[in-house]
Amino acid sequence: MIRVAQDGAIWTLTLDRPDKANSLTAEMLQALCNAVDDATRQQACAIILTGVGRVFSAGADLVEARAGLATSPLWEDLSARIAKAECLTIAALNGTLAGGAFGMALACDLRLCVPGTKFFYPVMKLGFLPQPSDPGRLAALIGPARAKMILMAGARIEAEEARDWGLIDRIVAPDDLMEAARALCADALSAQPAHVAAIKRLVP
């Protein structure tokens, strides 16, 4: 349910469970953690996260969430690995981003999405806390009031508003999404891995 493709120094990690809106299981989260570790070990210059179908991810698989996945440390482990990866990380969102899946996108350096993408994180009404690092990363991107609008008021944000807020960086046509993501990797690909890592460390 996680496809890993390597094209030179660009690694693409694809959520491939479209029949379940790419909802994430513990096995999928661990596979993503392992893939990010492998990419880092092999000095990837860029990692792209994307999905199959019309939804990037609906968050946790409902059955596993009820069995404890909603509070699993795997979510935070994954976002921490992505944030610490010493390469350019890009979330190429092929559709709606919801719930716990927010963490991996917030941890990326750049975020692209297709028109019609919606963003929501319904932790308030579901009775869960967000991943520990998510509120801080969200507030750093869009400000504390807008972060509370998503986390506390349950707002569903459309793609254009998300771009205006700074939650995403560009809206790209579906057929052009992966090409646009790869184009953003060009400078990183032309540099030494240590140079990519050094520039990334300079940006808080």
Side-chain angles (χ1 to χ4, degrees), residues 35-91:
V36 173
D37 286 348
D38 289 343
T40 302
R41 243 186 330 264
Q42 296 187 39
Q43 293 191 307
C45 284
I47 298 172
I48 300 172
L49 292 170
T50 192
V52 173
R54 295 177 179 239
V55 176
F56 173 71
S57 179
D61 175 86
L62 289 177
V63 173
E64 292 201 19
R66 296 188 191 103
L69 182 62
T71 57
S72 169
L74 278 171
W75 300 97
E76 188 70 11
D77 288 347
L78 175 58
S79 59
R81 281 171 163 83
I82 293 169
K84 291 175 184 175
E86 294 193 326
C87 64
L88 179 64
T89 54
I90 301 173

Side-chain angles (χ1 to χ4, degrees), residues 24-194:
L24 295 156
T25 64
E27 181 181 359
M28 292 169 72
L29 290 170
Q30 188 61 62
L32 286 166
C33 287
N34 294 343
V36 173
D37 286 348
D38 289 343
T40 302
R41 243 186 330 264
Q42 296 187 39
Q43 293 191 307
C45 284
I47 298 172
I48 300 172
L49 292 170
T50 192
V52 173
R54 295 177 179 239
V55 176
F56 173 71
S57 179
D61 175 86
L62 289 177
V63 173
E64 292 201 19
R66 296 188 191 103
L69 182 62
T71 57
S72 169
L74 278 171
W75 300 97
E76 188 70 11
D77 288 347
L78 175 58
S79 59
R81 281 171 163 83
I82 293 169
K84 291 175 184 175
E86 294 193 326
C87 64
L88 179 64
T89 54
I90 301 173
L93 305 172
N94 55 293
T96 291
L97 172 66
F102 246 90
M104 69 177 83
L106 290 172
C108 285
D109 301 313
L110 303 172
R111 283 157 293 281
L112 312 178
C113 78
V114 300
T117 297
K118 295 179 177 62
F119 299 83
F120 58 99
Y121 201 153
V123 284
M124 182 69 83
K125 74 174 184 179
L126 294 177
F128 298 117
L129 291 174
Q131 299 167 46
S133 62
D134 285 1
R137 289 192 180 119
L138 189 58
L141 287 171
I142 65 175
R146 286 169 172 169
K148 290 171 184 174
M149 189 178 290
I150 290 174
L151 294 172
M152 301 184 72
R156 291 181 175 233
I157 307 303
E158 304 281 344
E160 290 79 7
E161 190 170 26
R163 180 187 57 197
D164 293 344
W165 285 9
L167 180 56
I168 62 159
D169 302 298
R170 289 180 180 167
I171 300 172
V172 183
D175 291 344
D176 299 329
L177 180 64
M178 294 309 297
E179 182 180 350
R182 285 190 289 266
L184 292 171
C185 302
D187 280 12
L189 282 173
S190 68
Q192 292 297 316

